Amino acid sequence: MFTLSETSILAAILLVALGILGWGFYRARPFGKLGILAWLQSVVLMTPWLLFFGLFAAGIYINIAGILFLVVTSAGLYVYLGRQLRAAGQDAILKQRATERLAAASSLEANSPQPKVAELKPEIPPIPEEDLNAVKGIFGIDTFFATETIAYQDGAIFKGNLRGEPEETHNRLTASLQQRLGDQYRLFLVENTDGKPVVIVLPSRNDPRPMLLSQKAFAGILLIATIATSLEAAGLLLNFDFFGNPGRFQEALPIGAGIFTILVAHEIGHWLLARRHQIRLSWPFFLPAVQIGSFGAITRFESLLPNRKVLFDIALAGPAAGGIVSLLMLVTGLVLSGPGSLFQLPNQFFQGSILVGSLARVVLGSALQSSLVSVHPLVVIGWLGLVINALNLMPAGQLDGGRIIQAIYGRKTAGRATVATLILLALVSLGNTLAMYWAIVIFFLQRDQERPSLNEVTEPDDARAALGLLALFLMITTLLPLTPGLAGRLGIG
């Protein structure tokens, strides 16, 4: 049975979740059918969590197949409700708001016939006057009705009213700008601090620059170092120090090569989706780590992203590819495990991850009750790969998870998620050196958000949002350990 503390934790989780859903329903009721549909979307996303913890609190065990079924089902319902939400009039509301803004702007113009020239004189945009007039000429009553021009960096901000659907409007404005001024300027459609869309035009000389030769050389050095630490991690798993015994290279090679294969799969996933969207990526800067071979790699965008959907696709592709390869290795290793396998692991090993422990329980069954469990090397390699990909899915800065949060929920939410992740890592690092190392890496190298895409207003579709939440859910189940009481109920230990 659960201890009092474990029951309290589960009860607290359920109460917080129900409180959030109740507050959401209270906020949604005034908006009628649209509000209720939006609230139901949040319900279906939280349902797997509620069922998972609720049934465990009742003493009912759900294996990993059942958990994945719940998550996939909720994702499908989320997409369906999103379609119903749009069909119920979401687009009509956006058009209504645009009409209201147009009426307000027309009223303002009628009451203030004199242009506010005096207010603009102190902030003359650095764009040449001829180019500035050409830029102003791209705006229209059916795209973006510009009402104010403000100097910004090397370009200008145009405040006004968005008249059409954001993605179509951005495409039309961009095409018109290229027809008038070629490739000299970039047009960004972003949200202002007040939540209203604004247009920012900047010279193309501010585009991301390709890597320098010195940067490529540094990336190559880190690659070699990561190969070495992958072999060292393999040696440590085999109970010897590879750096002190390089002659045992043949012993460390299979496991080291397996770890490096997962790292390469992760980067290939990024590269394939970037190539599909015609986005240039920098060489990966691998982060060598003796404990697990590597913490992954830092990859920069060398092209401006057209929209948040592209940011999502490229960010998710890496952990998806690396995670699938890791999961296949783990499951294959569990199937091949048996008496005489290379590794003899204590059963506490499988308590370190909800995902790994659940899969092991499904495949190995009662074998996990033994003090030592014989496992195939692929189990260890797959587990390390899952950890590497899960670390990169943490919702912080320019990590893959941070980019996913930025793509789905926007820059403000991504910034808050980064702060929350760093605080959590700081607390965990009090008893875990791995968390401390990762917190330092994020704070000094990865805490900044990704630069805005050209169209920052259009959100990814519901299917992408559901996939992103599924990835974050699997990240948590990979990194979150089982409590001793829960592991005992599952027959682990």
Side-chain angles (χ1 to χ4, degrees):
M1 296 297 292
F2 289 114
T3 64
L4 179 61
S5 60
E6 290 169 346
T7 303
S8 299
I9 292 174
L10 291 172
I13 293 173
L14 292 174
L15 286 175
V16 169
L18 291 173
I20 293 173
L21 291 177
W23 174 250
F25 180 76
Y26 173 77
R27 294 285 303 273
R29 284 184 62 188
F31 297 96
K33 182 178 180 180
L34 291 175
I36 298 301
L37 284 172
W39 174 76
L40 285 174
Q41 283 190 303
S42 64
V43 171
V44 299
L45 289 176
M46 294 187 68
T47 296
W49 292 87
L50 293 172
L51 287 175
F52 179 78
F53 289 109
L55 291 176
F56 266 119
I60 301 174
Y61 165 66
I62 304 179
N63 59 26
I64 190 63
I67 295 171
L68 291 177
F69 172 78
L70 290 174
V71 172
V72 172
T73 301
S74 69
L77 288 173
Y78 181 89
V79 174
Y80 171 77
L81 288 171
R83 292 174 179 171
Q84 295 298 312
L85 183 62
R86 285 191 295 272
Q90 190 179 43
D91 293 336
I93 288 181
L94 293 175
K95 292 178 180 178
Q96 180 181 354
R97 289 177 179 174
T99 302
E100 292 173 353
R101 290 196 297 267
L102 175 59
S106 300
S107 176
L108 180 62
E109 292 169 5
N111 296 328
S112 304
Q114 297 297 326
K116 297 182 179 181
V117 178
E119 295 183 11
L120 296 179
K121 281 185 178 179
E123 291 188 291
I124 299 176
I127 300 176
E129 184 176 357
E130 182 179 352
D131 289 354
L132 183 60
N133 290 332
V135 172
K136 291 180 177 179
I138 69 174
F139 301 120
I141 194 71
D142 59 340
T143 54
F144 185 87
F145 187 76
T147 58
E148 186 178 0
T149 305
I150 302 174
Y152 176 74
Q153 295 183 0
D154 295 332
I157 295 177
F158 297 89
K159 290 186 175 182
N161 300 300
L162 182 65
R163 296 296 173 76
E165 193 275 328
E167 186 168 5
E168 180 184 356
T169 298
H170 180 267
N171 292 338
R172 291 177 61 184
L173 292 177
T174 300
S176 181
L177 182 63
Q178 289 179 344
Q179 289 176 359
R180 292 168 182 261
L181 296 172
D183 203 41
Q184 297 181 58
Y185 296 93
R186 300 285 182 259
L187 188 146
F188 295 82
L189 180 63
V190 302
E191 284 190 353
N192 199 7
T193 53
D194 58 4
K196 293 183 178 180
V198 298
V199 170
I200 301 178
V201 175
L202 295 174
S204 58
R205 63 176 178 269
N206 294 329
D207 289 359
R209 294 287 179 252
M211 294 178 67
L212 301 175
L213 181 60
S214 58
Q215 293 173 319
K216 293 181 178 180
F218 183 57
I221 292 172
L222 289 177
L223 172 63
I224 295 172
T226 298
I227 294 174
T229 53
S230 296
L231 293 171
E232 173 67 5
L236 294 177
L237 289 170
L238 295 169
N239 296 316
F240 73 89
D241 179 7
F242 172 75
F243 291 153
N245 299 275
R248 302 179 69 174
F249 171 79
Q250 294 291 340
E251 297 178 50
L253 180 60
I255 296 177
I259 296 173
F260 193 73
T261 297
I262 293 171
L263 296 172
V264 172
H266 184 114
E267 297 309 314
I268 288 177
H270 286 316
W271 181 79
L272 288 175
L273 265 293
R275 184 178 181 183
R276 176 182 176 183
H277 290 293
Q278 299 180 339
I279 300 297
R280 297 191 311 273
L281 295 180
S282 70
W283 289 14
F285 292 89
F286 286 97
L287 300 173
V290 173
Q291 301 97 321
I292 57 176
S294 173
F295 285 119
I298 298 174
T299 306
R300 305 296 187 191
F301 291 111
E302 294 186 347
S303 302
L304 291 172
L305 301 179
N307 51 57
R308 286 158 58 181
K309 290 183 288 187
V310 173
L311 173 62
F312 175 89
D313 290 349
I314 298 175
L316 181 65
I324 289 173
V325 172
S326 301
L327 198 59
L328 289 175
M329 287 185 174
L330 175 67
V331 174
T332 302
L334 289 172
V335 172
L336 296 176
S337 297
S341 295
L342 178 61
F343 286 103
Q344 305 291 317
L345 300 178
N347 52 28
Q348 290 86 355
F349 169 86
F350 298 98
Q351 298 179 15
S353 166
I354 293 177
L355 179 61
V356 175
S358 300
L359 283 173
R361 176 66 176 81
V362 171
V363 178
L364 299 181
S366 59
L368 294 180
Q369 297 177 359
S370 303
S371 58
L372 290 176
V373 182
S374 299
V375 297
H376 192 275
L378 284 175
V379 173
V380 179
I381 298 172
W383 174 73
L384 289 176
L386 288 174
V387 170
I388 292 170
N389 284 280
L391 289 172
N392 281 272
L393 274 172
M394 287 193 297
Q398 295 180 13
L399 295 180
D400 294 328
R403 288 170 170 172
I404 288 172
I405 292 295
Q406 181 177 333
I408 297 175
Y409 299 109
R411 301 178 64 81
K412 184 181 295 185
T413 301
R416 293 170 179 170
T418 298
V419 173
T421 301
L422 287 172
I423 292 174
L424 180 61
L425 284 174
L427 294 175
V428 175
S429 66
L430 297 176
N432 189 318
T433 56
L434 187 66
M436 180 183 296
Y437 180 92
W438 199 235
I440 293 173
V441 169
I442 294 174
F443 184 79
F444 286 103
L445 299 177
Q446 296 283 81
R447 71 178 185 274
D448 294 331
Q449 295 181 38
E450 198 58 59
R451 68 167 61 200
S453 56
L454 293 171
N455 174 10
E456 192 73 10
V457 174
T458 302
E459 299 179 355
D461 53 64
D462 298 328
R464 285 180 170 88
L467 284 174
L469 291 170
L470 174 60
L472 295 175
F473 172 77
L474 293 177
M475 177 270 293
I476 293 173
T477 59
T478 298
L479 298 179
L480 193 65
L482 291 163
T483 64
L486 186 56
R489 289 188 61 83
L490 297 178
I492 301 175

